[in-house]
Amino acid sequence: MTKARTRVGPSGAASTPGTLPLTLDVDALIDDPSTRIIVCCGSGGVGKTTTSAALGLRAAERGRKVVVLTIDPARRLAQAMGIEALDNTPRPVADVDHAAGGTLDAMMLDMKRTFDEVVESQASPEKAKQILENPFYIALSSSFAGTQEYMAMEKLGQIHAQSGEDGTYDLIVVDTPPSRSALDFLDAPERLSSFLDGRFIRLMLAPARGPARLMTAGLGIITNALTRILGGQVLGDLQTFVAALDTVFGGFRQRAQKTYALLQHEGTAFLVVAAPEPDALREAAYFVERLSEDRMPLAGLIVNRASPAPSGDLSADESMTAAERLRREDPTSLTAGLLRLHADQMRMVEREARLRGRFATTHPQVATAVVPALAGDVHDLAGLRRVGLLLAGGRTQNNA
Amino acid sequence: MSEKRTGDWPQVRLHVVTGKGGTGKSTVAAALALALATRGKNVLLCEVEGRQGIARMFDVDPLPPEERRLTTGLPAEDGTPGVVHALHIDPESALLEYLSLYYKLGRAGRALDRFGVIEFATTIAPGVRDVLLTGKLFEAVERNSRNKGAIHYDAVVLDAPPTGRIVQFLNVSNELAGLAKVGPIKAQSDTMMTLFRSPRTAVHLVTVLEEMPVQETSDGIAELRAVHLPVGGVVVNLIRPQDLAADDLADARSGSIDRDRVTADLTVAGMRHERAIVDGLLAEARDHAERRALEDSQRTLVADLGVPTYELPRLPQGVDLGALYELAASLREQGMA
């Protein structure tokens, strides 16, 4: 590998061993009793859900009282964890090893239900009913970009507050939704409250009354335009919705701020999850920067699905030359096939090392754990345990 | 449409490319656009998720929210290429354009902006955002004399939202149904649905040969069919190299490859052949054979989906501009374009 490294292009020169990334010590993180919340974030398809579940299981089997809050697990993984039913309540996971005194609960987030619960807790039953039945609310609570993120954070806040009281859990692991934009979950609370605080809403609430008179000229154009585009019925529904929501809005804003503060607290650890691909690492870099801008405690980077480094030091070029020589003699040569596979693997490994090196050069302070790709999908506790071991830097047998 | 070779989707004007995150749907969308842009045809490649993926893949400056020439397409056998244009659709400019185009809301449009209505409509109002994005797409496909001087596209390729969101994204009238039962925006979304449900649209799904993405592809096809959106092909991306014959793979899995033969071959090829090197090669072969077996079982599932499938290789050095053309050539060879 060292030999291969020296042959990379000019951009690779900066990533020579001088800037080897710090190693992320996952066990130290999950064993530390002051770690109370772990948030796994990253772009879609990088294995966030599996990583969260594996971390939760490992922490539980090392003695922590853990709850894993997940968004959209693969069906078989959900089954294995006993959380296929969406009931918004953490359920104990079967077959966890309790020898070290830990426990593991898991739940799958029901976004709409969480939203409903917030409304119900903030408004009088009558008002709540009015809101819950409004078409705008129904659409907002189930498909507003950012609602899922906001609700994940809301649920985190709830579980955190509850376990602060009764001590059910001492570690909460959160899997964030595969957001359209990476940090929707940080921005969503702010966006929701600035929306509720916005001029448009105030406009809807007080059409042409009192001091708003000044705006009346503009207002006529607007209501006119909206009616032309949306139709009068939509505007009516919207006004009802906004008026109803206004009564619970103070509560929303307060909760959003509290959750945000909770995330900044030192008991929280953010783990950015990525795959060794340019897009995923670019997103990861963006995440790292945003988290530090928002003064969120970043614990490190996890690079999943890394190509396993081949043993031996045959370079890709050496192998390809030999493979071609053998193919000339025997077009079906098995050994030539083996050498070509080896070359392919070496090139993947080199490319991934280059990509990680580039990340490490620009973000030298970020501790990193590299998890080799498993041959199959993970859909049982044994698989999660194996991933947990790999996360912690342990070695498992190939394809075990 | 009077081409000699038209590919599997001669009627399709709008190619929607979706897929689970990490399967490479943007790469496939770009390669498909290159493959379709032949013999002087104009193809528009669109993205809607604000990621500037097109700019990065084609190594150009970030795209503005208007159409521009991107690159030359993959030439036909006779050497004549077409042109690929690119469009980064963003909801805010789509809304303002929509307002001025359909409602002549010059002044009111700006007033709406001042009062935060634009922000409301594009970030908060559910469904409206998607109607706007798809509306712009619709305009590009159905472009007519109303838009003078604009390029007429032979095909439009959309790098679409991921599989989990695609039905919600395209099924715009349904998304609006609860909100706007009547009115112009409802009429507008109904017209769009007519195009999306017609044989002139095809929704292609990109997957890799792993359990979750294949499952999601199968679920996605069922959901698309349930709402009568036309399913196109499945593109199986990131296929592992096929350097070992079937019986060699079986041997590799069971660990019964003849190591003396490998050692002898290495010697013949003038290679080093220490024990460690042979061990390494055999271990890699076992690992590879294991993964190939898993891929094959997933490939059977993909074949059972009953839609045309296309395969693209995993490129060990990643996808650069040259590689996009190679993938485009492969798609064309397989009849996708």
Side-chain angles (χ1 to χ4, degrees):
Chain A
M1 233 182 99
T2 41
K3 195 176 165 202
R5 267 276 186 84
T6 56
R7 289 190 295 104
V8 297
S11 62
S15 62
T16 37
T19 51
L20 266 186
L22 302 162
T23 306
L24 171 66
D25 189 341
V26 169
D27 280 347
L29 177 71
I30 58 179
D31 289 348
D32 182 351
S34 67
T35 307
R36 306 304 293 259
I37 295 172
I38 295 178
V39 183
C40 295
C41 47
S43 53
V46 296
K48 273 192 303 270
T49 305
T50 307
T51 302
S52 319
L55 277 173
L57 178 63
R58 188 168 179 84
E61 296 192 333
R62 293 171 72 89
R64 302 295 300 270
K65 290 188 277 181
V66 187
V67 60
V68 175
L69 208 173
T70 181
I71 310 290
D72 187 20
R75 203 171 302 161
R76 281 169 70 185
L77 181 60
Q79 275 165 6
M81 298 182 75
I83 50 169
E84 319 99 289
L86 259 169
D87 64 355
N88 231 16
T89 313
R91 300 279 172 214
V93 178
D95 302 323
V96 174
D97 179 0
H98 299 286
T103 56
L104 178 63
D105 285 6
M107 76 160 255
M108 185 153 79
L109 180 77
D110 180 342
M111 168 170 85
K112 177 148 174 39
R113 189 156 170 159
T114 307
F115 210 147
D116 291 355
E117 284 167 9
V118 174
V119 170
E120 281 160 356
S121 72
Q122 298 287 313
S124 66
E126 197 185 328
K127 201 90 185 169
K129 188 165 177 288
Q130 201 188 349
I131 297 177
L132 297 184
E133 283 169 2
N134 184 284
F136 266 90
Y137 172 78
I138 293 170
L140 178 71
S141 63
S142 47
S143 68
F144 162 45
T147 308
Q148 202 173 33
E149 289 79 359
Y150 179 73
M151 289 307 136
M153 293 304 115
E154 170 66 34
K155 196 73 202 174
L156 166 65
Q158 285 176 14
I159 294 178
H160 181 79
Q162 187 208 334
S163 57
E165 282 162 25
D166 59 17
T168 331
Y169 307 115
D170 58 27
L171 178 64
I172 307 170
V173 181
V174 194
D175 169 25
T176 58
S179 306
R180 205 175 332 197
S181 98
L183 283 154
D184 270 355
F185 77 94
L186 282 183
D187 297 332
E190 178 56 33
R191 215 163 69 199
L192 199 64
S193 46
S194 79
F195 157 60
L196 293 168
D197 216 8
R199 287 173 81 179
F200 178 60
I201 295 300
R202 280 184 286 141
L203 195 73
M204 293 265 95
L205 283 173
R209 251 194 292 128
R213 263 283 153 78
L214 285 174
M215 308 197 296
T216 320
L219 190 68
I221 303 178
I222 294 193
T223 27
N224 202 355
L226 284 177
T227 313
R228 272 166 75 190
I229 301 166
L230 298 169
Q233 164 245 339
V234 180
L235 209 59
D237 277 345
L238 186 59
Q239 265 164 336
T240 320
F241 169 60
V242 167
L245 206 60
D246 187 54
T247 54
V248 299
F249 137 70
F252 264 113
R253 160 150 283 195
Q254 218 180 359
R255 294 167 87 89
Q257 281 165 349
K258 240 165 111 179
T259 312
Y260 194 82
L262 178 64
L263 291 176
Q264 283 181 327
H265 192 263
E266 57 191 14
T268 302
F270 279 88
L271 287 175
V272 176
V273 185
E277 288 297 325
D279 288 343
L281 282 169
R282 197 179 301 110
E283 285 281 287
Y286 175 66
F287 254 101
V288 164
E289 283 151 25
R290 256 308 296 275
L291 288 171
S292 71
E293 262 169 43
D294 283 41
R295 289 179 296 114
M296 296 284 172
L298 173 69
L301 171 75
I302 291 174
V303 182
N304 273 331
R305 299 162 166 260
S307 298
S311 62
D313 57 356
L314 273 186
S315 79
D317 290 349
E318 232 180 318
S319 308
M320 283 309 279
T321 316
E324 270 159 41
R325 211 171 293 156
L326 288 170
R327 281 264 150 100
R328 269 200 300 274
E329 300 295 316
D330 170 13
T332 61
S333 164
L334 162 69
T335 309
L338 296 180
L339 288 166
R340 291 171 69 101
L341 281 180
H342 177 76
D344 187 74
Q345 189 70 17
M346 285 303 278
R347 287 188 176 139
M348 295 275 294
V349 169
E350 283 164 24
R351 170 170 179 265
E352 291 173 11
R354 206 156 55 228
L355 289 168
R356 286 207 312 274
R358 213 174 287 164
F359 183 94
T361 309
T362 42
H363 302 92
Q365 79 288 5
V366 180
T368 304
V370 178
V371 181
L374 293 172
D377 288 319
V378 173
H379 37 60
D380 55 14
L381 289 201
L384 288 179
R385 258 180 218 120
R386 203 154 59 232
V387 175
L389 184 63
L390 291 169
L391 274 166
R395 301 219 161 262
T396 64
Q397 273 187 312
N398 260 357
N399 313 311
Chain B
M1 303 291 126
S2 58
E3 299 287 308
K4 277 170 276 170
R5 262 195 56 203
T6 45
D8 296 346
W9 314 97
Q11 282 184 293
V12 174
R13 291 280 300 282
L14 174 60
H15 295 267
V16 178
V17 181
T18 182
K20 183 174 158 48
T23 57
K25 71 179 168 63
S26 302
T27 308
V28 173
L32 180 59
L34 287 174
L36 289 166
T38 181
R39 296 180 205 274
K41 285 186 181 166
N42 281 303
V43 175
L44 182 67
L45 174 62
C46 301
E47 66 182 353
V48 289
E49 294 197 280
R51 278 202 295 244
Q52 290 290 351
I54 297 177
R56 272 198 294 268
M57 277 187 288
F58 288 89
D59 201 14
V60 295
D61 288 337
L63 298 170
E66 60 196 40
E67 292 153 44
R68 61 178 39 195
R69 187 186 188 284
L70 184 65
T71 189
T72 304
L74 181 72
E77 299 100 72
D78 64 5
T80 48
V83 177
V84 178
H85 305 258
L87 173 62
H88 176 88
I89 306 179
D90 87 278
E92 302 204 358
S93 37
L95 177 57
L96 287 172
E97 189 185 319
Y98 172 88
L99 292 177
S100 68
L101 198 64
Y102 291 94
Y103 299 100
K104 314 270 180 271
L105 286 182
R107 209 169 120 236
R110 282 192 299 278
L112 289 174
D113 200 11
R114 258 207 341 272
F115 282 101
V117 175
I118 303 287
E119 197 209 346
F120 167 79
T122 53
T123 67
I124 314 283
V128 172
R129 181 194 172 94
D130 289 347
V131 175
L132 290 167
L133 295 174
T134 47
K136 179 67 198 157
L137 196 66
F138 175 84
E139 190 273 324
V141 177
E142 297 288 13
R143 188 160 288 171
N144 53 30
S145 51
R146 180 124 68 141
N147 200 339
K148 285 196 199 76
I151 297 167
H152 175 85
Y153 294 108
D154 298 284
V156 174
V157 178
L158 172 67
D159 178 4
T163 321
R165 247 178 54 75
I166 190 65
V167 167
Q168 190 190 28
F169 181 76
L170 291 175
N171 203 10
V172 276
S173 58
N174 182 59
E175 218 184 324
L176 275 178
L179 301 178
K181 293 185 186 69
V182 289
I185 199 160
K186 166 77 173 131
Q188 176 74 15
S189 66
D190 286 348
T191 319
M192 290 191 304
M193 283 316 293
T194 313
L195 167 67
F196 295 157
R197 290 205 169 123
S198 78
R200 299 194 305 142
T201 296
V203 183
H204 307 293
L205 298 98
V206 182
T207 188
V208 293
L209 291 178
E210 286 171 29
E211 200 177 315
M212 252 173 72
V214 169
Q215 181 64 48
E216 211 170 282
T217 303
S218 154
D219 293 348
I221 288 177
E223 283 170 40
L224 287 165
R225 288 194 174 138
V227 296
H228 311 291
L229 286 164
V231 175
V234 169
V235 181
V236 180
N237 197 14
L238 304 172
I239 296 276
R240 277 168 205 284
Q242 317 272 311
D243 287 314
L244 296 189
D247 47 343
D248 289 337
L249 275 177
D251 285 350
R253 283 188 78 188
S254 59
S256 52
I257 287 182
D258 180 357
R259 56 178 305 141
D260 292 342
R261 192 177 126 205
V262 175
T263 313
D265 281 347
L266 289 176
T267 320
V268 170
M271 294 280 286
R272 292 174 298 144
H273 49 268
E274 316 75 285
R275 200 182 166 79
I277 286 183
V278 179
D279 283 346
L281 289 177
L282 294 185
E284 280 169 58
R286 194 164 53 237
D287 191 54
H288 174 78
E290 191 86 25
R291 286 162 200 263
R292 283 281 301 276
L294 287 163
E295 283 195 354
D296 287 342
S297 64
Q298 294 301 321
R299 187 180 274 113
T300 317
L301 295 177
V302 171
D304 288 346
L305 294 172
V307 299
T309 60
Y310 311 93
E311 296 201 349
L312 291 175
R314 181 184 79 180
L315 302 171
Q317 267 141 336
V319 179
D320 57 12
L321 192 52
L324 280 180
Y325 281 90
E326 276 172 41
L327 296 176
S330 173
L331 286 179
R332 192 183 288 168
E333 222 165 83
Q334 296 176 65
M336 192 176 186

